[in-house]
């Protein structure tokens, strides 16, 4: 249901189904520069996008390798 609601609010272009996130890192000043996301798409191509905000969910043992420059909660 969460994915359906996000798609309804933001459109299909905002979600990357079948992608594997490799790195998430803030850019610019704290809270002002957005977030750089590097991921592997479903065709095994490495892509980089900039986003204003990111929702990322993973176990801590995985997140510590992907989230860079973000303080641990």
């Amino acid at each position: 249901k969460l994915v359906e609601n996000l798609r309804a609010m933001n459109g299909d272009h905002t979600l990357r189904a079948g992608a594997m996130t490799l790195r998430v890192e803030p850019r610019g000043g704290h809270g002002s520069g957005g977030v750089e996301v590097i991921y592997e798409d479903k065709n095994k191509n490495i892509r980089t996008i900039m986003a204003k905000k990111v929702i990322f969910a993973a176990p801590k043992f995985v997140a510590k390798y992907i989230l860079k420059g973000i303080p641990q909660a």
Side-chain angles (χ1 to χ4, degrees):
K1 182 126 180 160
L2 174 64
V3 172
E4 292 170 8
N5 289 338
L6 289 170
R7 279 199 170 120
M9 291 178 359
N10 301 301
D12 281 336
H13 68 281
T14 61
L15 300 174
R16 304 291 190 267
M20 180 173 67
T21 305
L22 303 173
R23 179 181 290 250
V24 176
E25 188 169 358
R27 292 292 181 216
H30 178 69
S32 65
V35 180
E36 180 181 75
V37 179
I38 301 171
Y39 68 97
E40 182 181 274
D41 69 16
K42 61 185 175 183
N43 298 316
K44 305 291 185 203
N45 297 306
I46 303 299
R47 307 270 184 200
T48 301
I49 57 172
M50 290 296 297
K52 291 179 186 176
K53 298 177 183 178
V54 171
I55 297 173
F56 177 82
K60 283 186 178 183
F61 73 91
V62 173
K64 70 180 182 180
Y65 296 104
I66 295 173
L67 301 176
K68 304 296 179 187
I70 299 172
Q72 290 187 355

